[in-house]
């Protein structure tokens, strides 16, 4: 699902976003490749419960794939500020108030862009994330339960697209916490089914998740160095198409 969303981020779209944020196109692509899976991780975390799936489904059904229309003119236009505000409102309605603040801070730390620009980027990416999921809801004729199962099946994909250690460095987001615990719970159960019993969380992450970084990794939960995190995010941006 992340690759599907990134396919909408062509060079012309990325250039417009870069100009709007006042950054170069390479950094813009890195930031987009971090922000999009971060939003999807939050949506997947929210969709893990029946009530949460209903909330996500209502928003996705209402928006459909309309957010994917005319992306080249959506960014940098006269109404861009209103579109960004609308994206923030949709995320707050779907995920809950206060959910995007910690994610915005993590995107800023992992990409090196200022928090104000990270916040604007999340508002820009909201309709792209929801529109991509909306396309799948329409194609597969999913209801709320079907959407929940679909999002559950995308956890590996989403985790692999995130920079190493990203999820562990988001503090204060219930939806990211749910994504992390659901993901690690699935991985632990898979290992148990194979007769493997990891001694601790580090082993689960190192052996199963790899570069997804959804468990405790070498980054840890403390402060993250700028050069290290930007390098990680850039390497992931180069592999997410």
């Amino acid at each position: 699902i992340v690759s599907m969303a990134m396919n909408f981020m062509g060079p012309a779209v990325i250039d417009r976003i870069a100009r709007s944020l006042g950054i170069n196109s390479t950094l813009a692509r890195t930031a987009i490749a971090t922000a999009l899976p971060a939003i999807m991780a939050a949506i997947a975390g929210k969709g893990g419960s029946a009530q949460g799936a209903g909330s996500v489904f209502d928003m996705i059904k209402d928006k459909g794939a309309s957010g994917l229309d005319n992306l080249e003119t959506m960014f940098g236009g006269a109404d861009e500020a209103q579109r960004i505000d609308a994206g923030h409102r949709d995320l707050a309605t779907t995920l809950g108030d206060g959910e995007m603040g910690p994610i915005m801070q993590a995107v800023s730390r992992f990409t090196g862009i200022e928090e104000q620009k990270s916040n604007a980027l999340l508002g820009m990416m909201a309709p792209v994330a929801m529109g991509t999921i909306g396309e799948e809801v329409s194609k597969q004729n999913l209801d709320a339960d079907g959407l929940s199962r679909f999002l559950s099946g995308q956890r590996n994909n989403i985790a692999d697209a995130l920079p190493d250690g990203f999820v562990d460095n988001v503090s204060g987001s219930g939806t990211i916490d749910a994504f992390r615990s659901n993901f690690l719970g699935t991985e632990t159960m898979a290992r148990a089914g194979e007769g493997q019993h990891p001694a601790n969380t580090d082993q689960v992450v190192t052996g199963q998740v790899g570069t997804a970084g959804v468990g405790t990794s070498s980054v840890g939960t403390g402060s993250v160095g700028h050069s290290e995190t930007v390098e990680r995010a850039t390497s992931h941006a180069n592999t997410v198409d």
Side-chain angles (χ1 to χ4, degrees):
I1 192 69
V2 177
S3 295
M4 294 177 193
M6 286 298 296
N7 284 338
F8 293 104
M9 297 288 100
V13 175
I14 292 174
D15 285 346
R16 291 184 72 90
I17 292 173
R19 287 196 296 271
S20 178
L21 295 178
I23 59 179
N24 64 58
S25 295
T26 299
L27 181 55
R29 190 180 193 283
T30 298
I32 290 166
T34 302
L36 262 176
I39 293 173
M40 289 184 170
I43 292 174
K46 181 74 172 184
S49 68
Q51 182 177 359
S55 176
V56 172
F57 180 76
D58 288 343
M59 179 59 71
I60 296 296
K61 185 178 179 181
D62 179 57
K63 296 296 179 180
S66 60
L68 302 175
D69 296 336
N70 303 315
L71 286 178
E72 290 189 22
T73 60
M74 179 184 297
F75 306 119
D79 61 345
E80 181 181 68
Q82 289 86 346
R83 290 179 181 271
I84 291 173
D85 286 344
H88 288 150
R89 285 195 302 272
D90 289 344
L91 290 172
T93 299
T94 305
L95 304 176
D97 291 332
E99 282 295 311
M100 296 311 296
I103 298 172
M104 172 273 293
Q105 292 169 349
V107 170
S108 175
R109 288 196 301 272
F110 272 76
T111 62
I113 66 174
E114 298 170 5
E115 289 191 356
Q116 183 179 7
K117 295 177 181 180
S118 174
N119 188 54
L121 180 62
L122 289 173
M124 293 177 181
M125 292 299 101
V128 180
M130 292 186 181
T132 304
I133 297 172
E135 274 203 335
E136 292 304 303
V137 168
S138 178
K139 287 179 182 177
Q140 300 184 36
N141 194 28
L142 300 176
D143 58 11
D145 289 339
L147 174 59
S148 182
R149 289 191 295 272
F150 171 77
L151 292 172
S152 177
Q154 292 294 320
R155 284 197 295 257
N156 284 334
N157 171 278
I158 295 169
D160 285 343
L162 286 166
D164 187 22
F166 181 90
V167 173
D168 283 328
N169 282 277
V170 178
S171 177
S173 169
T175 55
I176 293 294
D177 288 345
F179 175 81
R180 177 172 52 232
S181 66
N182 287 341
F183 185 91
L184 289 177
T186 300
E187 295 298 308
T188 303
M189 288 175 64
R191 280 178 165 252
E194 296 169 1
Q196 300 178 34
H197 302 282
N200 55 48
T201 303
D202 278 343
Q203 291 179 336
V204 175
V205 175
T206 303
Q208 292 291 102
V209 180
T211 57
V214 295
T216 304
S217 69
S218 59
V219 176
T221 57
S223 60
V224 182
H226 243 19
S227 61
E228 180 182 5
T229 54
V230 171
E231 180 180 352
R232 283 196 185 119
T234 302
S235 67
H236 273 265
N238 291 333
T239 58
V240 179
D241 294 321

